[in-house]
Amino acid sequence: MTKLYPTKNDLPESSRQVLIELLNARLAEGIDLTLQAKQAHWNVKGMSFFQLHELFDQVYEQAGEWVDLIAERTVQLGGVAEGVLKEVAARSELPAYSVELSGGRAHVDALSGTLAAFGRSVRASIESADRLQDADTADLLTEVSRGADKMLWLLEAHLQGE
Ligand SMILES: [Fe+2]
């Protein structure tokens, strides 16, 4: 067990240990998602280039806000937010992003797959936080998954209606 920083927060230390672990796992995935969104933003090509270029940057910006919320909650609970590349690479279980992609559909398909995987693991963590009676982490993660679902919609709409 990692040693926690002292806090007057009254959540039991045993609960905070588990919460910090799961928040660091979601932090790693959130950072992975930001990198994947920029990869798509930079490399997309095709007739829909400009709007996808902008949309992928919106995903990046939103994911950056989620990452900040998750990291700061980790620290508030007495933990250390482990957002360095080595930890992120070791922890993230999101699908790997291929550097070979170029067309809009391929990028939308890949990034929506990653967003969906992120949303799934955030939802699982909401349940864990509920079980640990941490309504605040559950609420924070609910905000994140609601945002991830919105971004997923904005991406998936490109793959529908054709
Ligand atoms: Fe840019």
Side-chain angles (χ1 to χ4, degrees):
M1 285 270 147
T2 327
K3 196 174 171 333
L4 302 189
Y5 283 90
T7 168
K8 295 186 179 69
N9 185 308
D10 67 347
L11 283 167
E13 180 165 342
S14 58
S15 302
R16 288 188 287 113
Q17 288 276 8
V18 178
L19 288 158
I20 286 160
E21 197 54 44
L22 72 84
L23 284 165
N24 267 316
R26 301 296 79 77
L27 176 64
E29 292 172 353
I31 293 171
D32 191 357
L33 175 60
T34 63
L35 296 174
Q36 295 196 22
K38 270 295 187 194
Q39 180 70 17
H41 168 76
W42 293 323
N43 291 292
V44 66
K45 297 188 189 304
M47 291 303 288
S48 306
F49 163 77
F50 194 69
Q51 67 105 356
L52 288 176
H53 175 72
E54 296 279 298
L55 177 57
F56 296 151
D57 220 21
Q58 259 192 48
V59 175
Y60 168 80
E61 280 168 24
Q62 286 289 302
E65 288 177 22
W66 306 331
V67 159
D68 207 48
L69 287 172
I70 293 167
E72 289 177 0
R73 182 72 188 157
T74 311
V75 178
Q76 287 159 23
L77 294 176
V80 171
E82 298 180 355
V84 294
L85 191 56
K86 204 172 152 195
E87 296 297 331
V88 170
R91 275 205 174 96
S92 177
E93 291 183 359
L94 294 182
Y97 207 88
S98 166
V99 294
E100 310 284 321
L101 304 182
S102 76
R105 175 170 278 274
H107 278 292
V108 169
D109 193 44
L111 195 58
S112 62
T114 293
L115 257 172
F118 179 66
R120 186 165 56 243
S121 64
V122 171
R123 273 187 283 280
S125 295
I126 295 169
E127 274 184 39
S128 306
D130 270 335
R131 271 198 302 276
L132 294 163
Q133 301 187 311
D134 181 357
D136 305 298
T137 294
D139 178 64
L140 184 150
L141 293 173
T142 302
E143 180 181 339
V144 170
S145 76
R146 194 172 56 239
D149 277 0
K150 180 173 179 185
M151 286 295 129
L152 180 60
W153 163 51
L154 296 182
L155 292 177
E156 281 189 323
H158 293 82
L159 306 173
Q160 300 161 349
E162 282 173 12

